[in-house]
Every structure is written in structure tokens, then in C-alpha cells.
């Protein structure tokens, strides 16, 4: 006989591979909401407008998927079995047994509750099952997530300043974690 789940157990998370136009539309809508809520104070509305239009929309995601990126919709299941879309991530396996974590975004209601850690466990598990040895990502130098990534075992490997067009640059850290 199995025990009933603890009333304090975190709600189950589902990581759904994004393969349909409908799922891509959900991810694009989440991107729009998350980016305007989180990044406007960090990098300004003009750069968010540019980046959402250029990188966080259905055609851009379709192009990335054609280039080998894998998108996952993050869903949370509540006590009534209602499923909510709370974020998304995208990874790309690269030469040298490396995985690039290209996108990792959570809705504000999902932050600060251990959801990010659980998502990272999924991503790391995916990389380990593929026998990859390194996970890397880029993050804005002023983003509080830098400290969260450090708590998850990432280290700052490089300073990156990348011209992304439109008169904008990304002033990031490259962070890495050996697996």
C-alpha cells in the first residue's frame, strides 16, 4: 500500500516536448508575458521589444527547432489536477558532449518556490542521460538569476558582450556546470 502524497509536497511538474504549432503559440505567449514582466526593469522596454520580436516568437522558435534546439513547456499540476503552463526552456546538444541551455524562463508565480531547481534537475538529467559532460548558459550580468545559478553549481566562465543588432548588446556571463 502506497502512502498518500504529503500535503507539503511540491505540485508535480511536467516537461512537455514542444512539437506542435499550438504548443509553440503557448510558449510564445509565455515568452511575451515573462519577458515584459521580468526584463523591462533589467534591460529596458526598447530592448525587450526588440528581443521578443526577434527571438521569442513562433517563427524564431521554429527556426531554432530546425537547427536542433529542443523546447520544453513546463507545466504544474495543482491539487485538483488542473494543469498550468508556468514556463519553458530550450536546449541544444553541441559537439564535445556539451548542452547549451538557451532558454529557461518561469512565470513570476513559479519563482522562489523551488520550481527553478526542479527544472534544472530535469535539464541536467536530460544531459546526463545523453552522457554529456558540460551544461552552459548565458545570463545578463545584472540578473539576480546569476546567484541562483551559482547556488545550483554553475560558475562564471567568461564575460560576453554580444551585438544582437538594432543598436542593442547583450552584456552577459557565460556560466558553466560540469556534469
Amino acid at each position: 500500500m502506497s502512502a498518500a502524497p504529503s500535503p507539503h509536497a511540491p505540485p508535480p511538474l511536467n516537461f512537455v516536448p514542444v512539437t506542435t504549432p499550438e504548443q509553440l503559440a503557448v510558449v510564445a505567449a509565455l515568452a511575451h508575458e515573462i519577458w515584459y514582466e521580468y526584463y523591462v526593469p533589467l534591460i529596458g522596454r526598447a530592448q525587450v521589444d526588440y528581443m521578443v520580436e526577434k527571438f521569442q516568437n513562433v517563427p524564431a522558435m521554429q527556426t531554432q527547432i530546425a537547427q536542433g534546439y529542443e523546447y520544453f513547456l513546463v507545466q504544474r499540476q495543482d491539487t485538483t489536477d488542473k494543469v498550468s503552463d508556468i514556463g519553458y526552456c530550450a536546449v541544444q546538444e553541441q559537439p564535445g558532449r556539451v548542452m547549451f541551455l538557451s532558454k529557461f524562463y518561469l512565470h513570476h508565480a513559479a519563482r522562489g518556490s523551488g520550481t527553478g531547481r526542479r527544472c534544472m534537475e530535469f535539464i541536467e538529467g536530460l544531459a546526463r542521460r545523453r552522457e554529456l559532460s558540460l551544461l552552459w548558459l548565458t545570463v545578463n550580468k545584472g540578473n539576480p538569476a546569476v546567484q541562483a545559478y551559482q547556488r545550483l553549481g554553475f560558475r562564471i566562465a567568461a564575460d560576453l558582450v554580444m551585438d544582437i543588432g538594432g543598436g542593442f548588446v547583450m552584456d552577459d556571463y557565460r556560466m558553466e556546470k560540469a556534469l
Side-chain angles (χ1 to χ4, degrees):
M1 186 164 168
S2 64
S6 163
H8 302 294
L13 294 179
N14 301 316
F15 299 91
V16 180
V18 175
T19 59
T20 68
E22 295 79 15
Q23 290 170 320
L24 280 172
V26 169
V27 171
L30 274 168
H32 189 273
E33 183 177 353
I34 292 167
W35 270 75
Y36 280 94
E37 175 265 326
Y38 190 83
Y39 286 99
V40 168
L42 196 60
I43 61 175
R45 182 167 184 108
Q47 187 164 346
V48 169
D49 287 343
Y50 178 78
M51 291 181 76
V52 167
E53 176 63 30
K54 189 158 178 78
F55 305 114
Q56 301 289 326
N57 60 55
V58 171
M61 292 175 201
Q62 288 171 321
T63 298
Q64 290 172 357
I65 289 169
Q67 295 169 342
Y69 287 77
E70 298 170 77
Y71 274 79
F72 295 90
L73 186 58
V74 182
Q75 297 178 327
R76 181 173 51 206
Q77 188 173 332
D78 71 15
T79 55
T80 65
D81 286 337
K82 179 180 182 282
V83 174
S84 302
D85 300 318
I86 60 167
Y88 66 101
C89 58
V91 297
Q92 182 190 45
E93 196 170 322
Q94 297 180 332
R97 297 181 42 226
V98 172
M99 181 172 280
F100 172 42
L101 176 54
S102 171
K103 294 172 179 53
F104 180 26
Y105 302 108
L106 291 174
H107 191 273
H108 69 86
R111 294 184 212 129
S113 63
T115 302
R117 177 177 296 279
R118 292 168 60 208
C119 291
M120 192 59 71
E121 289 168 357
F122 165 78
I123 294 161
E124 288 178 19
L126 186 67
R128 284 189 176 102
R129 285 189 299 280
R130 296 175 181 184
E131 299 181 356
L132 305 179
S133 60
L134 183 77
L135 181 61
W136 73 278
L137 56 87
T138 60
V139 60
N140 182 280
K141 292 174 184 170
N143 190 332
V146 169
Q147 290 75 33
Y149 289 127
Q150 287 173 322
R151 286 191 301 273
L152 292 169
F154 284 81
R155 66 174 186 83
I156 296 171
D159 288 338
L160 303 173
V161 178
M162 296 170 286
D163 185 333
I164 58 169
F168 298 106
V169 297
M170 292 192 337
D171 190 13
D172 290 350
Y173 289 126
R174 176 185 167 120
M175 298 188 77
E176 298 178 347
K177 181 176 183 175
L179 300 173

